[in-house]
Amino acid sequence: MFDVIISGCGSTGAMLAAELRLHDVRVLVLEKETEPPSFVRIVGLHMRSLELMAMRGLLDRMLEHGRRRPVGGLFAAIDKPAPKDLDSAHAYLLGIPQPVIERLLEENATQLGAQVRRGGAVTGFEQDDKGVTVELADGERLRSRYLVGCDGGRSTVRELLGVGFPGEPSRTETLMGEMKVGVPQEEVAAKVAEIGRTNKRFWLRPFGEGAYSVVVPAAGVGDRAEPPTLEDFRQQLRAVAGTDFGVHSPRWLSRFGDATRLAERYRVGRVLLAGDAAHIHPPTGGQGLNLGVQDAFNLGWKLAAQIRGWAPETLLDTYQAERRPVAEDVLDNTRAQMELHSTEPGPQAVRRLLTELMDFDEVNRHLIEKITAIGIRYDFGEGPELLGRRLPDLDVKSGRLYGLLHRGRGLLLDRTERLSVGGWADRVDHLADPTAALDVPCVLLRPDGHVAWIGDDQRDLDDHLSRWFGKPARPDRRSAPTATRPG
C-alpha cells in the first residue's frame, strides 16, 4: 500500500514525488514510457521556478547544465529589455534541456526515497473512502491512499476521472525542431531578420555544434501524435522564407498547436490533477513546464499534510483554489500573445501599440512578473500587500532565506525575537533574526515560500499556525527560537 501513486514522471510528477518524500510519504511514480525522451528540447526556467529550486537546494545542479539569459523579450517576443531591479535574487532565464530538468528532478526524488517504475501505464482506477485501486496495462493492481495525474495534456487519469477539459482546439500549428543548415550563418541571419519583422512564429537560431533551432508555421493543423518530417520543414520554410536553407540532419522534429484548455476540477475525491493534465496552452512565453512545476510545489506539502494527519480540514482544497486561477491567467496571457503573433493588420496594430506601452517601466514590469510568476498573489484575505505573495530570497544572519526551506517545512521569520511556534515545531521552523532584511516585524512562510501571516502578536500567530498547519502537537509547550540552517 502506497500513500500516493503519481501517474507520469515528467517534471511535474518528479517534483511532486520529491516534495512528498520530504515528509516521509510513501510514493510510487508510474511512467508509461520505458525510456526518457531521446530528443533534446531547450526550455527556460523562469524566475519563480528558479526560486523554487533554490528553496530545495536544487538550483546549483540546474545551473551546471543551463545557460543564463536576460528575461527581456518574453511577452509575445516583443524585444524590450528586462526592467531594472526585479524583485528576485534570480532575475534571469535559465535555458536548459528539458530532459536534463526531468533527469535531475527524478534523481532528486529517488534519492529522497521515491520509487519510479517505467513501463507502467495506468489504464484504470477505482476509488473509495479509504483509497484508490490503480490498474496497470499488464493487469497488475496497486493500492494507494491518493492518485495524482501528472500524465500530460492527453491525461488518461483525467479522462477516466470524467473531468471536463473545456477550451479551444488548435486553430494554427507550428513546426519546431533542431537540425543543421546548408547555407552560411550570415545568410540565415539576414533572412530571419527580414521575415521576423512581421512573422513572430518564424525563426532559425544557432544552437551549437552547427545545429539550429528551427520554428516555422505549419500549413494546417495535423495529428500531433505523428511527428512532422524533414520534408514538411523544407516545404514550409520555402513557403515562408522562399528557401529551405538546405536543412538536413535533424536531431528531433515536433509540432505544437495553440489549443487552450483548462480542467473543470483539479480534484475529485482522492484523485488530483497537476501540470498539463490540468491545463494546456500554446508555449509562447515558455510558461508550460514552469506552471506544472509550480503546481507540484503547491500541492506537495498540502497532500503530505493530509496523509500525515495534521492538515486543517480545507487545506487540500486550497490547491485548486490557488492554482486554477493562476492557470486561467496563463491561458489568457498566452491567448493574447498568440493574437499578437498574427500577421493580420489588426493584431499587428495592437502589437505596435503594446510595444510603445512597454516603454513604460510599470507596463514592462507587470508583464515580466506575470510571465515569470513572481507577481502571483494568493487570496489569503485582507491584509498587507505582502500577504499571499512569495518572499524573495532575503539575507538573514545564517546566510540566505531559501537555505532554510530545504526540508519543505514552514518558517517563522521573527525580527522581534519574542514569538514562538510552540506546538507546531514539528512542522514549522523558527528563525529569530532582528537583522533580517524585512520591513515588517515577523512573517510566517508556508513551505512553498508564500507569506501566510504578517504581524507581531503571538495569539494572532497561533490562529494562523492553526489555519495552515493544523492543531499543535504540544499545545501546552512553547519551543525556543532556533536559527540553525536545516540540513
Side-chain angles (χ1 to χ4, degrees):
M1 175 92 173
F2 295 94
D3 291 320
V4 179
I5 290 178
I6 298 171
S7 178
C9 196
S11 53
T12 302
M15 174 60 81
L16 178 59
E19 288 297 290
L20 293 168
R21 282 302 304 155
L22 288 175
H23 303 277
D24 294 323
V25 172
R26 294 165 295 178
V27 180
L28 172 65
V29 186
L30 297 171
E31 171 54 54
K32 67 179 181 179
E33 302 296 338
T34 57
E35 298 291 337
S38 57
F39 61 84
V40 180
R41 177 181 296 169
I42 301 297
V43 297
L45 285 180
H46 288 317
M47 282 189 280
R48 183 55 181 158
S49 295
L50 294 170
E51 291 180 344
L52 303 187
M53 299 302 167
M55 288 182 197
R56 297 300 185 259
L58 298 171
L59 183 57
D60 287 345
R61 301 185 208 179
M62 298 289 174
L63 293 176
E64 290 177 3
H65 299 277
R67 179 179 298 178
R68 302 188 196 198
R69 298 174 180 171
V71 294
L74 294 179
F75 192 86
I78 294 175
D79 189 15
K80 296 292 182 181
K84 296 179 180 179
D85 303 321
L86 285 167
D87 187 23
S88 176
H90 309 286
Y92 52 89
L93 174 75
L94 185 69
I96 182 172
Q98 183 170 344
V100 172
I101 296 175
E102 295 177 356
R103 174 176 61 81
L104 293 176
L105 293 178
E106 181 179 340
E107 287 176 355
N108 181 55
T110 56
Q111 288 167 3
L112 290 170
Q115 297 183 41
V116 177
R117 185 188 301 185
R118 291 192 171 272
V122 174
T123 58
F125 62 82
E126 297 176 350
Q127 63 171 312
D128 53 47
D129 291 342
K130 295 183 179 180
V132 185
T133 300
V134 178
E135 184 172 344
L136 306 187
D138 62 3
E140 183 179 5
R141 295 169 70 86
L142 302 169
R143 185 74 173 165
S144 71
R145 296 173 65 181
Y146 288 87
L147 169 66
V148 185
C150 301
D151 49 346
R154 300 183 181 186
S155 170
T156 298
V157 172
R158 185 190 65 242
E159 292 178 2
L160 292 172
L161 196 58
V163 170
F165 204 39
E168 308 91 49
S170 288
R171 298 174 300 167
T172 62
E173 192 169 83
T174 305
L175 306 182
M176 176 188 296
E178 291 170 13
M179 60 203 74
K180 294 185 177 181
V181 303
V183 298
Q185 182 173 343
E186 295 78 12
E187 182 177 333
V188 175
K191 181 61 73 171
V192 169
E194 173 190 340
I195 298 173
R197 295 189 185 98
T198 56
N199 194 329
K200 302 303 177 181
R201 291 170 54 213
F202 169 85
W203 75 68
L204 284 81
R205 295 175 180 169
F207 184 72
E209 301 179 1
Y212 278 73
S213 171
V214 178
V215 174
V216 60
V221 177
D223 181 3
R224 291 190 61 197
E226 293 294 328
T229 66
L230 182 61
E231 184 57 32
D232 291 332
F233 276 81
R234 288 171 175 158
Q235 289 179 2
Q236 290 309 114
L237 286 169
R238 287 194 291 266
V240 174
T243 174
D244 63 14
F245 300 97
V247 293
H248 63 95
S249 305
R251 292 179 175 175
W252 59 268
L253 305 172
S254 69
R255 65 175 88 235
F256 65 86
D258 61 347
T260 306
R261 298 186 181 275
L262 179 62
E264 291 178 337
R265 301 176 66 183
Y266 279 22
R267 178 191 176 195
V268 178
R270 292 177 174 268
V271 184
L272 300 102
L273 304 172
D276 288 352
H279 40 68
I280 59 171
H281 54 84
T284 181
Q287 298 167 90
L289 182 145
N290 293 273
L291 184 61
V293 167
Q294 292 158 27
D295 283 348
F297 216 77
N298 185 285
L299 174 60
W301 71 277
K302 297 174 181 177
L303 185 54
Q306 187 77 19
I307 290 166
R308 302 303 295 175
W310 57 259
E313 183 178 353
T314 60
L315 181 64
L316 194 53
D317 292 333
T318 66
Y319 166 59
Q320 173 177 307
E322 292 173 2
R323 294 304 299 171
R324 196 172 183 277
V326 171
E328 285 182 312
D329 186 70
V330 171
L331 266 59
D332 276 349
N333 83 57
T334 55
R335 287 183 178 106
Q337 290 182 77
M338 289 303 293
E339 290 297 319
L340 294 173
H341 285 322
S342 170
T343 58
E344 294 297 317
Q348 283 293 304
V350 176
R351 184 183 181 90
R352 288 191 293 271
L353 176 60
L354 183 59
T355 301
E356 293 179 16
L357 291 175
M358 287 178 68
D359 287 332
F360 293 97
D361 182 78
E362 296 88 344
V363 176
N364 193 20
R365 186 178 302 274
H366 175 74
L367 294 175
I368 289 294
E369 290 181 352
K370 181 183 291 290
I371 294 288
T372 61
I374 65 170
I376 290 172
R377 186 189 187 195
Y378 296 138
D379 183 6
F380 294 171
E382 294 184 5
E385 175 64 20
L386 183 60
L387 185 67
R389 295 189 181 276
R390 100 282 185 250
L391 198 64
D393 194 7
L394 308 174
D395 287 320
V396 293
K397 66 182 182 182
S398 56
R400 302 289 295 183
L401 175 66
Y402 289 176
L404 303 175
L405 299 174
H406 288 183
R407 292 190 293 175
R409 293 158 55 92
L411 175 68
L412 175 65
L413 180 55
D414 174 13
R415 296 181 69 242
T416 70
E417 298 185 287
R418 56 180 175 79
L419 298 183
S420 167
V421 297
W424 293 272
D426 62 330
R427 64 206 82 151
V428 180
D429 293 318
H430 181 191
L431 177 66
D433 181 6
T435 69
L438 194 65
D439 58 3
V440 295
C442 306
V443 295
L444 175 65
L445 296 182
R446 306 190 317 181
D448 58 2
H450 281 262
V451 177
W453 172 81
I454 302 169
D456 58 7
D457 180 76
Q458 184 68 59
R459 181 174 297 180
D460 191 29
L461 169 61
D462 288 351
D463 289 343
H464 284 79
L465 284 165
S466 295
R467 173 183 175 183
W468 294 108
F469 298 99
K471 296 179 180 179
R474 303 183 308 280
D476 58 336
R477 295 177 60 188
R478 288 287 167 191
S479 64
T482 59
T484 56
R485 179 181 295 271

